Coordinates of all heavy atoms in Angstrom, one line a residue:
M1 N 151.8 123.0 107.2 CA 150.4 123.2 106.9 C 149.7 123.7 108.1 O 150.0 123.3 109.2 CB 149.8 121.8 106.5 CG 150.2 121.3 105.1 SD 149.6 122.3 103.8 CE 150.3 121.6 102.4
N2 N 148.7 124.6 107.9 CA 148.0 125.1 109.0 C 146.9 124.1 109.4 O 146.2 123.5 108.5 CB 147.3 126.4 108.5 CG 148.2 127.5 108.4 OD1 149.4 127.4 108.8 ND2 147.8 128.6 107.7
E3 N 146.8 123.8 110.7 CA 145.8 123.0 111.2 C 144.5 123.8 111.2 O 144.5 124.9 111.6 CB 146.1 122.5 112.6 CG 147.3 121.5 112.6 CD 146.9 120.2 111.9 OE1 145.8 119.7 112.1 OE2 147.8 119.7 111.2
P4 N 143.3 123.2 110.8 CA 142.1 123.9 110.8 C 141.7 124.2 112.2 O 141.8 123.3 113.1 CB 141.1 123.0 110.1 CG 141.7 121.6 110.1 CD 143.2 121.8 110.2
A5 N 141.2 125.4 112.5 CA 140.7 125.7 113.8 C 139.5 124.9 114.2 O 138.7 124.5 113.3 CB 140.4 127.2 113.9
E6 N 139.3 124.6 115.5 CA 138.2 123.8 115.9 C 136.9 124.6 115.6 O 136.8 125.7 116.1 CB 138.3 123.5 117.4 CG 137.3 122.5 118.0 CD 137.5 121.1 117.4 OE1 138.6 120.7 117.2 OE2 136.5 120.4 117.3
Q7 N 136.1 124.0 114.8 CA 134.8 124.7 114.5 C 133.7 124.2 115.3 O 133.6 123.1 115.6 CB 134.5 124.5 113.0 CG 135.4 125.3 112.1 CD 134.9 125.2 110.6 OE1 134.4 124.1 110.2 NE2 135.0 126.2 109.9
E8 N 132.8 125.2 115.6 CA 131.6 124.8 116.4 C 130.5 124.5 115.4 O 130.3 125.3 114.5 CB 131.3 125.9 117.4 CG 130.4 125.4 118.5 CD 130.3 126.4 119.6 OE1 131.4 126.9 120.1 OE2 129.2 126.7 120.1
L9 N 129.8 123.4 115.6 CA 128.7 123.1 114.7 C 127.5 124.1 114.9 O 127.2 124.5 116.0 CB 128.2 121.7 115.0 CG 129.1 120.6 114.7 CD1 128.5 119.2 115.2 CD2 129.4 120.5 113.2
P10 N 126.9 124.5 113.8 CA 125.8 125.5 113.9 C 124.5 124.9 114.5 O 123.6 125.6 114.9 CB 125.5 125.9 112.5 CG 126.0 124.8 111.6 CD 127.2 124.1 112.4
Y11 N 124.4 123.6 114.6 CA 123.3 122.9 115.2 C 123.7 121.9 116.3 O 124.8 121.4 116.2 CB 122.5 122.1 114.1 CG 122.0 123.0 113.0 CD1 122.7 122.9 111.7 CD2 120.9 123.8 113.1 CE1 122.2 123.7 110.7 CE2 120.5 124.6 112.1 CZ 121.1 124.6 110.9 OH 120.7 125.3 109.8
T12 N 122.8 121.7 117.2 CA 123.1 120.7 118.3 C 122.9 119.3 117.7 O 122.3 119.2 116.6 CB 122.2 120.9 119.5 OG1 120.9 120.7 119.1 CG2 122.3 122.3 120.1
E13 N 123.4 118.3 118.4 CA 123.2 117.0 117.9 C 121.8 116.6 117.8 O 121.4 115.9 116.8 CB 124.0 116.0 118.8 CG 124.2 114.7 118.2 CD 125.2 113.8 119.0 OE1 126.0 114.4 119.7 OE2 125.1 112.6 118.9
S14 N 121.0 117.0 118.7 CA 119.5 116.6 118.7 C 118.8 117.3 117.5 O 117.9 116.7 116.9 CB 118.8 116.9 120.0 OG 118.9 118.3 120.2
E15 N 119.2 118.5 117.2 CA 118.6 119.2 116.1 C 119.0 118.5 114.8 O 118.2 118.3 113.9 CB 119.1 120.7 116.0 CG 118.5 121.6 117.0 CD 119.0 123.0 117.0 OE1 120.3 123.1 116.8 OE2 118.3 123.9 117.3
I16 N 120.2 118.0 114.7 CA 120.7 117.3 113.5 C 119.9 116.0 113.3 O 119.5 115.6 112.3 CB 122.2 117.1 113.5 CG1 122.9 118.4 113.4 CG2 122.6 116.1 112.5 CD1 124.4 118.3 113.7
E17 N 119.7 115.3 114.5 CA 118.9 114.0 114.4 C 117.5 114.3 114.0 O 116.9 113.5 113.2 CB 119.0 113.4 115.8 CG 120.3 112.7 116.1 CD 120.4 112.1 117.5 OE1 119.4 112.1 118.2 OE2 121.5 111.7 117.9
T18 N 116.9 115.4 114.5 CA 115.5 115.8 114.1 C 115.5 116.0 112.6 O 114.6 115.6 111.9 CB 115.1 117.0 114.9 OG1 115.1 116.7 116.3 CG2 113.6 117.3 114.5
M19 N 116.4 116.8 112.1 CA 116.4 117.1 110.7 C 116.6 115.9 109.8 O 116.0 115.7 108.8 CB 117.5 118.1 110.3 CG 117.2 119.5 110.8 SD 118.4 120.8 110.3 CE 119.7 120.5 111.4
A20 N 117.5 115.0 110.3 CA 117.7 113.7 109.6 C 116.4 112.9 109.5 O 116.1 112.3 108.5 CB 118.8 113.0 110.2
S21 N 115.7 112.8 110.6 CA 114.5 112.0 110.6 C 113.4 112.6 109.7 O 112.7 111.9 109.1 CB 114.0 111.8 112.0 OG 113.5 113.0 112.6
E22 N 113.4 114.0 109.7 CA 112.4 114.6 108.9 C 112.8 114.4 107.4 O 111.9 114.2 106.6 CB 112.4 116.1 109.2 CG 111.7 116.5 110.5 CD 111.8 117.9 110.9 OE1 112.5 118.7 110.2 OE2 111.2 118.3 111.9
D23 N 114.0 114.5 107.1 CA 114.5 114.2 105.7 C 114.1 112.7 105.3 O 113.7 112.5 104.2 CB 116.0 114.4 105.6 CG 116.4 115.9 105.5 OD1 115.4 116.7 105.5 OD2 117.6 116.2 105.6
A24 N 114.3 111.8 106.2 CA 114.0 110.4 105.9 C 112.5 110.2 105.7 O 112.1 109.5 104.8 CB 114.4 109.5 107.1
K25 N 111.6 110.9 106.5 CA 110.2 110.9 106.3 C 109.8 111.4 104.9 O 109.0 110.9 104.2 CB 109.5 111.6 107.4 CG 109.5 110.9 108.7 CD 108.8 111.7 109.8 CE 109.0 111.1 111.1 NZ 108.7 112.0 112.2
A26 N 110.4 112.6 104.5 CA 110.2 113.2 103.2 C 110.6 112.2 102.1 O 109.9 112.1 101.1 CB 110.9 114.5 103.1
G27 N 111.8 111.6 102.3 CA 112.2 110.6 101.3 C 111.3 109.5 101.1 O 111.0 109.0 100.0
R28 N 110.8 108.9 102.2 CA 109.8 107.8 102.1 C 108.6 108.3 101.4 O 108.0 107.5 100.6 CB 109.5 107.3 103.5 CG 110.6 106.4 104.1 CD 110.2 105.6 105.3 NE 109.9 106.5 106.4 CZ 110.9 106.9 107.3 NH1 112.1 106.4 107.1 NH2 110.6 107.6 108.3
F29 N 108.1 109.5 101.7 CA 106.9 110.0 101.1 C 107.1 110.2 99.6 O 106.3 109.8 98.8 CB 106.5 111.4 101.7 CG 105.4 112.1 101.0 CD1 104.1 111.6 101.1 CD2 105.7 113.2 100.2 CE1 103.1 112.3 100.5 CE2 104.7 113.8 99.5 CZ 103.4 113.4 99.7
L30 N 108.2 110.7 99.2 CA 108.5 110.9 97.8 C 108.6 109.6 97.1 O 108.2 109.4 95.9 CB 109.8 111.7 97.6 CG 109.7 113.2 97.9 CD1 111.0 113.9 97.8 CD2 108.7 113.9 97.0
T31 N 109.2 108.6 97.7 CA 109.3 107.2 97.1 C 107.9 106.7 96.9 O 107.6 106.1 95.8 CB 110.1 106.3 98.0 OG1 111.4 106.9 98.2 CG2 110.3 104.9 97.4
K32 N 107.0 106.8 97.9 CA 105.7 106.3 97.8 C 104.9 107.0 96.6 O 104.2 106.4 95.8 CB 104.9 106.5 99.1 CG 105.3 105.5 100.2 CD 104.6 105.9 101.5 CE 105.2 105.0 102.6 NZ 104.6 105.5 103.9
M33 N 105.1 108.3 96.5 CA 104.5 109.1 95.4 C 105.0 108.6 94.1 O 104.2 108.5 93.1 CB 104.7 110.6 95.6 CG 104.0 111.2 96.8 SD 102.2 111.0 96.6 CE 101.9 112.0 95.1
M34 N 106.3 108.4 94.0 CA 106.9 107.9 92.7 C 106.3 106.6 92.3 O 106.0 106.3 91.1 CB 108.4 107.9 92.8 CG 109.0 109.3 92.7 SD 110.8 109.4 93.0 CE 111.4 107.9 92.5
V35 N 106.2 105.6 93.3 CA 105.7 104.3 93.0 C 104.2 104.4 92.6 O 103.8 103.8 91.6 CB 105.9 103.4 94.2 CG1 105.1 102.1 94.1 CG2 107.4 103.1 94.5
F36 N 103.5 105.2 93.3 CA 102.1 105.4 93.0 C 101.9 106.0 91.6 O 101.1 105.5 90.8 CB 101.4 106.4 94.0 CG 100.0 106.8 93.6 CD1 98.9 105.9 93.7 CD2 99.8 108.0 93.0 CE1 97.7 106.3 93.4 CE2 98.5 108.4 92.7 CZ 97.4 107.5 92.8
T37 N 102.7 107.0 91.2 CA 102.7 107.6 89.9 C 103.0 106.6 88.8 O 102.4 106.5 87.8 CB 103.6 108.8 89.8 OG1 103.2 109.7 90.9 CG2 103.5 109.5 88.5
F38 N 104.0 105.8 89.1 CA 104.4 104.8 88.1 C 103.3 103.8 87.9 O 103.0 103.5 86.7 CB 105.7 104.0 88.6 CG 106.2 102.9 87.7 CD1 106.8 103.2 86.5 CD2 106.0 101.6 88.1 CE1 107.2 102.2 85.7 CE2 106.4 100.6 87.3 CZ 107.0 100.9 86.1
C39 N 102.7 103.3 89.0 CA 101.6 102.3 88.8 C 100.4 102.9 88.1 O 99.8 102.3 87.3 CB 101.2 101.8 90.2 SG 102.5 100.8 91.0
Y40 N 100.1 104.2 88.5 CA 99.0 104.9 87.9 C 99.2 105.0 86.3 O 98.3 104.8 85.5 CB 98.8 106.2 88.5 CG 97.7 107.1 87.9 CD1 96.4 106.8 88.3 CD2 98.0 108.1 87.0 CE1 95.3 107.6 87.8 CE2 96.9 108.9 86.5 CZ 95.6 108.6 86.9 OH 94.6 109.3 86.3
T41 N 100.4 105.3 86.0 CA 100.8 105.5 84.5 C 100.6 104.1 83.8 O 100.1 104.1 82.7 CB 102.2 106.0 84.4 OG1 102.4 107.2 85.1 CG2 102.6 106.2 83.0
I42 N 101.1 103.1 84.5 CA 100.9 101.7 83.8 C 99.4 101.4 83.6 O 99.0 100.9 82.6 CB 101.6 100.6 84.7 CG1 103.1 100.9 84.8 CG2 101.3 99.3 84.2 CD1 103.8 100.9 83.4
F43 N 98.6 101.6 84.7 CA 97.2 101.3 84.6 C 96.5 102.1 83.5 O 95.7 101.6 82.7 CB 96.5 101.5 85.9 CG 96.7 100.4 86.9 CD1 97.2 100.6 88.2 CD2 96.5 99.0 86.6 CE1 97.5 99.6 89.1 CE2 96.7 98.0 87.4 CZ 97.2 98.3 88.7
V44 N 96.8 103.4 83.5 CA 96.2 104.3 82.5 C 96.6 103.9 81.1 O 95.8 103.9 80.2 CB 96.5 105.8 82.8 CG1 96.0 106.7 81.7 CG2 95.7 106.2 84.1
G45 N 97.9 103.7 80.9 CA 98.4 103.3 79.6 C 97.8 102.0 79.2 O 97.4 101.8 78.0
A46 N 97.7 101.0 80.1 CA 97.0 99.7 79.7 C 95.6 99.9 79.3 O 95.1 99.3 78.3 CB 97.1 98.7 80.9
Y47 N 94.9 100.8 80.0 CA 93.5 101.1 79.7 C 93.4 101.8 78.4 O 92.5 101.4 77.5 CB 92.8 101.9 80.8 CG 91.4 102.3 80.4 CD1 90.4 101.3 80.6 CD2 91.0 103.5 80.0 CE1 89.1 101.6 80.2 CE2 89.7 103.8 79.6 CZ 88.7 102.8 79.7 OH 87.4 103.1 79.4
V48 N 94.2 102.7 78.1 CA 94.2 103.4 76.8 C 94.5 102.4 75.6 O 93.8 102.5 74.6 CB 95.2 104.6 76.8 CG1 95.4 105.1 75.4 CG2 94.8 105.7 77.7
I49 N 95.4 101.5 75.8 CA 95.7 100.5 74.8 C 94.5 99.6 74.6 O 94.0 99.3 73.5 CB 97.0 99.7 75.2 CG1 98.2 100.6 75.1 CG2 97.1 98.5 74.3 CD1 99.5 100.0 75.6
Y50 N 93.9 99.2 75.7 CA 92.7 98.3 75.7 C 91.6 99.1 75.0 O 90.9 98.5 74.1 CB 92.3 97.9 77.1 CG 90.9 97.2 77.2 CD1 90.8 95.9 76.9 CD2 89.8 98.0 77.6 CE1 89.6 95.3 76.9 CE2 88.6 97.4 77.7 CZ 88.4 96.0 77.3 OH 87.2 95.4 77.4
W51 N 91.3 100.3 75.3 CA 90.3 101.1 74.7 C 90.5 101.3 73.2 O 89.6 101.2 72.4 CB 90.2 102.5 75.5 CG 89.2 103.4 74.9 CD1 87.8 103.4 75.1 CD2 89.4 104.4 74.0 NE1 87.2 104.4 74.4 CE2 88.2 105.1 73.7 CE3 90.6 104.9 73.3 CZ2 88.1 106.1 72.8 CZ3 90.4 106.0 72.5 CH2 89.2 106.6 72.2
S52 N 91.7 101.6 72.9 CA 92.0 101.8 71.4 C 91.9 100.5 70.6 O 91.5 100.6 69.4 CB 93.4 102.4 71.3 OG 94.4 101.5 71.6
L53 N 92.1 99.4 71.2 CA 92.0 98.1 70.5 C 90.5 97.8 70.3 O 90.2 97.0 69.4 CB 92.7 97.0 71.2 CG 94.3 97.1 71.1 CD1 94.9 96.0 71.9 CD2 94.8 97.1 69.7
Q54 N 89.7 98.2 71.2 CA 88.2 97.9 71.1 C 87.6 98.7 70.0 O 86.5 98.3 69.5 CB 87.5 98.2 72.5 CG 88.0 97.4 73.6 CD 87.8 95.9 73.4 OE1 86.7 95.5 73.0 NE2 88.9 95.1 73.5
N55 N 88.1 99.9 69.7 CA 87.5 100.7 68.7 C 88.0 100.5 67.3 O 89.1 100.1 67.0 CB 87.6 102.2 69.1 CG 86.8 102.5 70.3 OD1 85.7 101.9 70.5 ND2 87.3 103.4 71.2

């Protein structure tokens, strides 16, 4: 079998760490947005049900 040639990484280690931390920040932001959207949907749905029962 042919041994794979030693490849050089296209990014330095510090660049990779920077990208990873930026990805983590984006992931945390998206998680917060999803939780906020879920809670907002629950509140709006509860209000619509309450409003419809009042009429």
